[in-house]
PDB file of all heavy atoms in Angstrom:
ATOM      1  N   GLY A 269       1.771  -4.664   9.966  1.00 97.00           N
ATOM      2  CA  GLY A 269       3.148  -5.143   9.952  1.00 97.00           C
ATOM      3  C   GLY A 269       3.765  -5.264   8.581  1.00 97.00           C
ATOM      4  O   GLY A 269       4.577  -6.163   8.335  1.00 97.00           O
ATOM      5  N   THR A 270       3.423  -4.349   7.670  1.00 97.00           N
ATOM      6  CA  THR A 270       3.987  -4.388   6.322  1.00 97.00           C
ATOM      7  C   THR A 270       4.987  -3.259   6.127  1.00 97.00           C
ATOM      8  O   THR A 270       4.919  -2.217   6.777  1.00 97.00           O
ATOM      9  CB  THR A 270       2.884  -4.257   5.256  1.00 97.00           C
ATOM     10  OG1 THR A 270       2.135  -3.060   5.508  1.00 97.00           O
ATOM     11  CG2 THR A 270       1.942  -5.450   5.322  1.00 97.00           C
ATOM     12  N   LEU A 271       5.929  -3.472   5.208  1.00 98.00           N
ATOM     13  CA  LEU A 271       6.871  -2.430   4.853  1.00 98.00           C
ATOM     14  C   LEU A 271       6.195  -1.384   3.978  1.00 98.00           C
ATOM     15  O   LEU A 271       5.314  -1.706   3.172  1.00 98.00           O
ATOM     16  CB  LEU A 271       8.060  -3.011   4.091  1.00 98.00           C
ATOM     17  CG  LEU A 271       9.057  -3.870   4.868  1.00 98.00           C
ATOM     18  CD1 LEU A 271      10.129  -4.388   3.920  1.00 98.00           C
ATOM     19  CD2 LEU A 271       9.670  -3.115   6.018  1.00 98.00           C
ATOM     20  N   LEU A 272       6.623  -0.145   4.106  1.00 97.00           N
ATOM     21  CA  LEU A 272       6.172   0.904   3.213  1.00 97.00           C
ATOM     22  C   LEU A 272       6.858   0.729   1.854  1.00 97.00           C
ATOM     23  O   LEU A 272       7.934   0.142   1.764  1.00 97.00           O
ATOM     24  CB  LEU A 272       6.523   2.271   3.799  1.00 97.00           C
ATOM     25  CG  LEU A 272       5.978   2.542   5.204  1.00 97.00           C
ATOM     26  CD1 LEU A 272       6.496   3.871   5.710  1.00 97.00           C
ATOM     27  CD2 LEU A 272       4.457   2.524   5.208  1.00 97.00           C
ATOM     28  N   PRO A 273       6.264   1.242   0.801  1.00 96.00           N
ATOM     29  CA  PRO A 273       6.889   1.112  -0.524  1.00 96.00           C
ATOM     30  C   PRO A 273       8.225   1.840  -0.574  1.00 96.00           C
ATOM     31  O   PRO A 273       8.413   2.882   0.060  1.00 96.00           O
ATOM     32  CB  PRO A 273       5.866   1.773  -1.459  1.00 96.00           C
ATOM     33  CG  PRO A 273       4.591   1.783  -0.698  1.00 96.00           C
ATOM     34  CD  PRO A 273       4.953   1.909   0.745  1.00 96.00           C
ATOM     35  N   ALA A 274       9.146   1.297  -1.342  1.00 95.00           N
ATOM     36  CA  ALA A 274      10.438   1.956  -1.550  1.00 95.00           C
ATOM     37  C   ALA A 274      10.287   2.983  -2.657  1.00 95.00           C
ATOM     38  O   ALA A 274       9.845   2.667  -3.760  1.00 95.00           O
ATOM     39  CB  ALA A 274      11.489   0.925  -1.925  1.00 95.00           C
ATOM     40  N   LYS A 275      10.654   4.221  -2.346  1.00 92.00           N
ATOM     41  CA  LYS A 275      10.609   5.276  -3.357  1.00 92.00           C
ATOM     42  C   LYS A 275      11.920   5.296  -4.146  1.00 92.00           C
ATOM     43  O   LYS A 275      12.963   4.893  -3.631  1.00 92.00           O
ATOM     44  CB  LYS A 275      10.385   6.626  -2.680  1.00 92.00           C
ATOM     45  CG  LYS A 275       9.002   6.795  -2.083  1.00 92.00           C
ATOM     46  CD  LYS A 275       8.873   8.209  -1.548  1.00 92.00           C
ATOM     47  CE  LYS A 275       7.495   8.451  -0.983  1.00 92.00           C
ATOM     48  NZ  LYS A 275       7.368   9.841  -0.483  1.00 92.00           N
ATOM     49  N   PRO A 276      11.874   5.797  -5.363  1.00 89.00           N
ATOM     50  CA  PRO A 276      13.121   5.942  -6.121  1.00 89.00           C
ATOM     51  C   PRO A 276      14.091   6.848  -5.380  1.00 89.00           C
ATOM     52  O   PRO A 276      13.690   7.844  -4.771  1.00 89.00           O
ATOM     53  CB  PRO A 276      12.668   6.571  -7.442  1.00 89.00           C
ATOM     54  CG  PRO A 276      11.219   6.234  -7.543  1.00 89.00           C
ATOM     55  CD  PRO A 276      10.700   6.202  -6.140  1.00 89.00           C
ATOM     56  N   LEU A 277      15.351   6.505  -5.461  1.00 85.00           N
ATOM     57  CA  LEU A 277      16.362   7.352  -4.847  1.00 85.00           C
ATOM     58  C   LEU A 277      16.568   8.602  -5.699  1.00 85.00           C
ATOM     59  O   LEU A 277      16.243   8.616  -6.878  1.00 85.00           O
ATOM     60  CB  LEU A 277      17.672   6.575  -4.714  1.00 85.00           C
ATOM     61  CG  LEU A 277      17.610   5.329  -3.827  1.00 85.00           C
ATOM     62  CD1 LEU A 277      18.935   4.595  -3.883  1.00 85.00           C
ATOM     63  CD2 LEU A 277      17.260   5.705  -2.412  1.00 85.00           C
ATOM     64  N   PRO A 278      17.116   9.666  -5.121  1.00 76.00           N
ATOM     65  CA  PRO A 278      17.349  10.895  -5.890  1.00 76.00           C
ATOM     66  C   PRO A 278      18.158  10.666  -7.149  1.00 76.00           C
ATOM     67  O   PRO A 278      17.948  11.328  -8.151  1.00 76.00           O
ATOM     68  CB  PRO A 278      18.113  11.780  -4.897  1.00 76.00           C
ATOM     69  CG  PRO A 278      17.660  11.303  -3.560  1.00 76.00           C
ATOM     70  CD  PRO A 278      17.451   9.822  -3.705  1.00 76.00           C
ATOM     71  N   LEU A 279      19.064   9.689  -7.113  1.00 60.00           N
ATOM     72  CA  LEU A 279      19.887   9.392  -8.289  1.00 60.00           C
ATOM     73  C   LEU A 279      19.027   9.046  -9.483  1.00 60.00           C
ATOM     74  O   LEU A 279      19.224   9.544 -10.580  1.00 60.00           O
ATOM     75  CB  LEU A 279      20.835   8.235  -7.972  1.00 60.00           C
ATOM     76  CG  LEU A 279      21.707   7.723  -9.130  1.00 60.00           C
ATOM     77  CD1 LEU A 279      22.661   8.819  -9.558  1.00 60.00           C
ATOM     78  CD2 LEU A 279      22.457   6.482  -8.715  1.00 60.00           C
ATOM     79  N   GLU A 280      18.003   8.192  -9.256  1.00 50.00           N
ATOM     80  CA  GLU A 280      17.123   7.804 -10.356  1.00 50.00           C
ATOM     81  C   GLU A 280      16.292   8.980 -10.831  1.00 50.00           C
ATOM     82  O   GLU A 280      16.102   9.202 -12.021  1.00 50.00           O
ATOM     83  CB  GLU A 280      16.204   6.667  -9.915  1.00 50.00           C
ATOM     84  CG  GLU A 280      15.298   6.201 -11.053  1.00 50.00           C
ATOM     85  CD  GLU A 280      14.227   5.230 -10.587  1.00 50.00           C
ATOM     86  OE1 GLU A 280      13.421   5.610  -9.739  1.00 50.00           O
ATOM     87  OE2 GLU A 280      14.213   4.106 -11.089  1.00 50.00           O
ATOM     88  N   SER A 281      15.807   9.792  -9.905  1.00 48.00           N
ATOM     89  CA  SER A 281      14.995  10.946 -10.272  1.00 48.00           C
ATOM     90  C   SER A 281      15.798  11.917 -11.118  1.00 48.00           C
ATOM     91  O   SER A 281      15.311  12.463 -12.111  1.00 48.00           O
ATOM     92  CB  SER A 281      14.482  11.643  -9.003  1.00 48.00           C
ATOM     93  OG  SER A 281      13.702  10.760  -8.241  1.00 48.00           O
ATOM     94  N   ASP A 282      17.074  12.147 -10.739  1.00 49.00           N
ATOM     95  CA  ASP A 282      17.925  13.053 -11.481  1.00 49.00           C
ATOM     96  C   ASP A 282      18.190  12.528 -12.893  1.00 49.00           C
ATOM     97  O   ASP A 282      18.170  13.287 -13.865  1.00 49.00           O
ATOM     98  CB  ASP A 282      19.254  13.260 -10.752  1.00 49.00           C
ATOM     99  CG  ASP A 282      19.071  13.978  -9.421  1.00 49.00           C
ATOM    100  OD1 ASP A 282      17.998  14.580  -9.229  1.00 49.00           O
ATOM    101  OD2 ASP A 282      19.995  13.921  -8.582  1.00 49.00           O
ATOM    102  N   ALA A 283      18.419  11.221 -12.986  1.00 45.00           N
ATOM    103  CA  ALA A 283      18.684  10.629 -14.298  1.00 45.00           C
ATOM    104  C   ALA A 283      17.454  10.715 -15.191  1.00 45.00           C
ATOM    105  O   ALA A 283      17.559  10.997 -16.384  1.00 45.00           O
ATOM    106  CB  ALA A 283      19.126   9.175 -14.128  1.00 45.00           C
ATOM    107  N   THR A 284      16.277  10.495 -14.611  1.00 48.00           N
ATOM    108  CA  THR A 284      15.039  10.584 -15.382  1.00 48.00           C
ATOM    109  C   THR A 284      14.816  11.993 -15.891  1.00 48.00           C
ATOM    110  O   THR A 284      14.456  12.216 -17.043  1.00 48.00           O
ATOM    111  CB  THR A 284      13.849  10.142 -14.510  1.00 48.00           C
ATOM    112  OG1 THR A 284      14.065   8.803 -14.076  1.00 48.00           O
ATOM    113  CG2 THR A 284      12.552  10.209 -15.297  1.00 48.00           C
ATOM    114  N   ALA A 285      15.035  12.971 -15.013  1.00 47.00           N
ATOM    115  CA  ALA A 285      14.852  14.367 -15.415  1.00 47.00           C
ATOM    116  C   ALA A 285      15.829  14.747 -16.517  1.00 47.00           C
ATOM    117  O   ALA A 285      15.480  15.465 -17.467  1.00 47.00           O
ATOM    118  CB  ALA A 285      15.047  15.279 -14.204  1.00 47.00           C
ATOM    119  N   THR A 286      17.064  14.249 -16.430  1.00 45.00           N
ATOM    120  CA  THR A 286      18.069  14.536 -17.454  1.00 45.00           C
ATOM    121  C   THR A 286      17.664  13.941 -18.798  1.00 45.00           C
ATOM    122  O   THR A 286      17.777  14.585 -19.846  1.00 45.00           O
ATOM    123  CB  THR A 286      19.438  13.973 -17.027  1.00 45.00           C
ATOM    124  OG1 THR A 286      19.807  14.559 -15.781  1.00 45.00           O
ATOM    125  CG2 THR A 286      20.504  14.275 -18.068  1.00 45.00           C
ATOM    126  N   ALA A 287      17.167  12.708 -18.751  1.00 48.00           N
ATOM    127  CA  ALA A 287      16.748  12.050 -19.984  1.00 48.00           C
ATOM    128  C   ALA A 287      15.569  12.772 -20.613  1.00 48.00           C
ATOM    129  O   ALA A 287      15.498  12.936 -21.839  1.00 48.00           O
ATOM    130  CB  ALA A 287      16.394  10.593 -19.694  1.00 48.00           C
ATOM    131  N   GLN A 288      14.624  13.227 -19.803  1.00 51.00           N
ATOM    132  CA  GLN A 288      13.468  13.939 -20.332  1.00 51.00           C
ATOM    133  C   GLN A 288      13.868  15.264 -20.949  1.00 51.00           C
ATOM    134  O   GLN A 288      13.203  15.783 -21.832  1.00 51.00           O
ATOM    135  CB  GLN A 288      12.447  14.152 -19.209  1.00 51.00           C
ATOM    136  CG  GLN A 288      11.770  12.868 -18.753  1.00 51.00           C
ATOM    137  CD  GLN A 288      10.850  13.089 -17.573  1.00 51.00           C
ATOM    138  OE1 GLN A 288      10.898  14.129 -16.910  1.00 51.00           O
ATOM    139  NE2 GLN A 288       9.998  12.112 -17.291  1.00 51.00           N
TER     140      GLN A 288
END
Side-chain angles (χ1 to χ4, degrees):
T270 55
L271 289 178
L272 304 175
K275 290 185 178 181
L277 298 175
L279 176 65
E280 182 189 60
S281 300
D282 294 343
T284 301
T286 301
Q288 290 175 345

